[in-house]
Structures are given as structure tokens and as C-alpha cells.
Amino acid sequence: MKTVLKICLGLLFAVVVLGGCQLPQKDSDRNDSQKDVRFLQKEQERVAMYLANKYEGVEKIEYSDVSSNKETGSTDLFLTINDSQHLEITFFGDNRDDYIETFHDKFSLEKREQSLDNDISLKEIEVIYLSKEAYDNR
């Protein structure tokens, strides 16, 4: 009987110890997720400024989806400019303006002869950011 009791207590101890080891990892995952959301929110604003400064006639930017590739460290933002220009912006998480633009339709906006270096205010442009669900589903 003592042997059975020792085995049961040993198993209970192992479950408690292993279960306790998993808790900090979940908190760490949650903190990483919150950092990702803040990073993506900031990056959406940076992309909007980039596009407004690079192209003439940008009146509206609507973000529709986001995907991340953990292997390459890249993030893809899918967006529509002026309800008709579909675009995918790929960037790597190093906070530079090195964006890779992939156009999904014939792109008709004119490139500015010279970038305005963030002189345009986003107050003049309607920007619709990603919803919380888009962050959760990526």
C-alpha cells in the first residue's frame, strides 16, 4: 500500500512540476503576441506614410489581411488603395522603409517625381487599419 501511495504522490508531483513549467511559457507567448500587435499597428502607419509620400492621389488606404512567415522573418500586409488598387507590402521586422511592393492589378497611381520624405499628413487620408480578428487569425 505504501508503494502505491508513493507512486501516486510521485505522479502528482511530476504533474504539478511539469504543469508549472508551462505557465511562464504561456505568459511569454501572450507578451510576444501583444508586442506583435503593437509592432503591426505601428508598421501599418509607416506603410501608409510611405505610400502617401511615394504616390500621388492616395486618398484611402484599407488594410485587409496580414500574414507572417516565421522562417524568413517577413510579414505581408494586404491592402487596397482608393478602393481599386490592390497591393501587397512585404517587409522584414527591422524598422526600415525597405518594402517590397506586389501589385495585384494594373496599378494606375502615378509615382511622385521626388518622395516627400514624410511631409504628407495622414489626416488628409482615410486609413482603415486591420481589425483585432486579423491579428488573431494570422
Side-chain angles (χ1 to χ4, degrees):
M1 190 64 154
K2 286 185 179 184
T3 306
V4 172
L5 182 60
K6 286 182 183 180
I7 292 173
C8 288
L9 286 175
L11 287 173
L12 179 63
F13 178 75
V15 167
V16 168
V17 168
L18 292 176
C21 291
Q22 295 298 318
L23 290 177
Q25 182 179 0
K26 289 180 183 177
D27 287 342
S28 175
D29 290 347
R30 189 177 313 122
N31 288 339
D32 288 345
S33 177
Q34 290 171 346
K35 287 178 187 174
D36 287 347
V37 167
R38 284 193 300 270
F39 172 76
L40 282 172
Q41 288 171 337
K42 182 178 178 183
E43 201 60 38
Q44 287 178 82
E45 189 158 327
R46 287 172 44 83
V47 167
M49 289 292 297
Y50 167 81
L51 293 170
N53 281 287
K54 185 173 182 178
Y55 296 104
E56 293 185 30
V58 176
E59 298 171 1
K60 179 180 177 182
I61 298 172
E62 182 174 359
Y63 293 95
S64 57
D65 202 3
V66 62
S67 68
S68 298
N69 184 327
K70 301 256 187 227
E71 290 179 18
T72 64
S74 67
T75 300
D76 297 311
L77 282 172
F78 301 89
L79 57 110
T80 303
I81 300 175
N82 298 344
D83 294 321
S84 63
Q85 307 291 307
H86 301 284
L87 179 64
E88 176 182 342
I89 297 282
T90 303
F91 60 91
F92 298 86
D94 55 3
N95 280 328
R96 296 182 308 172
D97 286 336
D98 269 347
Y99 298 121
I100 300 169
E101 302 169 31
T102 306
F103 305 102
H104 294 277
D105 300 320
K106 183 179 177 187
F107 197 72
S108 63
L109 291 178
E110 293 292 321
K111 245 185 188 178
R112 294 184 188 276
E113 288 185 27
Q114 186 174 0
S115 179
L116 299 178
D117 295 325
N118 295 328
D119 287 342
I120 288 184
S121 170
L122 288 181
K123 293 176 186 174
E124 302 163 6
I125 299 170
E126 180 183 1
V127 181
I128 301 171
Y129 297 98
L130 286 171
S131 66
K132 183 176 178 349
E133 290 79 27
Y135 294 119
D136 295 340
N137 293 330
R138 62 185 185 100

